[in-house]
Amino acid sequence: MSILIAKADGTSEAFERSKLISSLERAGAKSDIAQNIAQEIEKRLESGTSTHVIYSKAFARLRDFKKAAAARYSLKRAVLEFGPSGFPFESYIGELFKTEGFETRIDQLVRGKCVEHEVDVVITKGEETIYAEAKFHNAAGFKTDLKVVLYVKARIDDIGQGRGLVV
């Protein structure tokens, strides 16, 4: 009999130990530690337990084994705490690129072929320019809809056909 867990988006699904193990390993936990943590959590799991509770328990156990892996495991939650607006997230994205030697500008107007577009982050290094639309969601389980992705693609295409100059 499978144990149903409550996901952040309001749906339920059967608990899969392999998903928990995979997420722990991606954070840097060794396979044996990830399996140990997952097995320990699964033993005490009840139907209806939320993914948030599972995450909290896994994070606490991972912190006991390997603090650096626990920090990576908690990165998604940390990003959610940027606040209600997307501006701090856009600044964070800009800073990440700065550490890699890029120049960044936040919240820029860029001329396309048809219209001017507000671009969240303009990233440049030499002749290379990247236009980034940073979609920030401050709640777990929220996903960007396909029509938003297509809208952003159309904007980038217009910028590519235009001059692409920051206004």
Side-chain angles (χ1 to χ4, degrees):
M1 186 171 101
S2 62
I3 298 168
L4 290 179
I5 58 169
K7 296 176 59 177
D9 65 5
T11 62
S12 295
E13 74 175 34
F15 174 76
E16 292 182 47
R17 184 191 319 178
S18 61
K19 285 185 175 181
L20 180 54
I21 291 170
S22 177
S23 71
L24 291 165
E25 288 176 342
R26 282 193 313 272
K30 292 184 180 173
S31 180
D32 60 329
I33 290 173
Q35 290 179 32
N36 179 292
I37 291 170
Q39 184 177 20
E40 184 180 315
I41 289 171
E42 187 176 24
K43 282 180 190 176
R44 297 185 180 98
L45 208 54
E46 298 176 3
S47 277
T49 302
S50 70
T51 53
H52 176 73
V53 168
I54 294 168
Y55 158 82
S56 297
K57 290 179 180 184
F59 175 70
R61 291 298 295 134
L62 187 56
R63 194 174 46 217
D64 292 341
F65 286 105
K66 191 170 183 182
K67 290 191 186 328
R72 283 189 295 279
Y73 194 65
S74 66
L75 183 59
K76 180 178 177 181
R77 304 272 185 213
V79 169
L80 290 175
E81 293 177 12
F82 272 124
S85 77
F87 186 74
F89 182 66
E90 294 165 10
S91 297
Y92 174 69
I93 297 299
E95 290 300 318
L96 288 175
F97 278 94
K98 279 183 185 176
T99 64
E100 296 297 319
F102 289 85
E103 291 180 32
T104 63
R105 288 175 281 174
I106 309 299
D107 214 12
Q108 298 293 302
L109 283 177
V110 179
R111 189 167 293 133
K113 181 178 180 183
C114 301
V115 296
E116 291 178 353
H117 302 274
E118 186 177 314
V119 177
D120 292 337
V121 189
V122 177
I123 305 155
T124 56
K125 185 187 245 184
E127 297 297 313
E128 181 181 18
T129 300
I130 300 167
Y131 302 99
E133 181 70 19
K135 290 298 177 201
F136 173 73
H137 303 296
N138 61 359
F142 189 87
K143 297 180 179 157
T144 300
D145 191 279
L146 178 60
K147 66 181 169 236
V148 174
V149 175
L150 294 174
Y151 167 71
V152 171
K153 166 90 168 82
R155 291 175 56 213
I156 294 299
D157 287 349
D158 184 55
I159 290 170
Q161 292 172 7
R163 292 186 226 139
L165 300 173
V166 176
V167 178

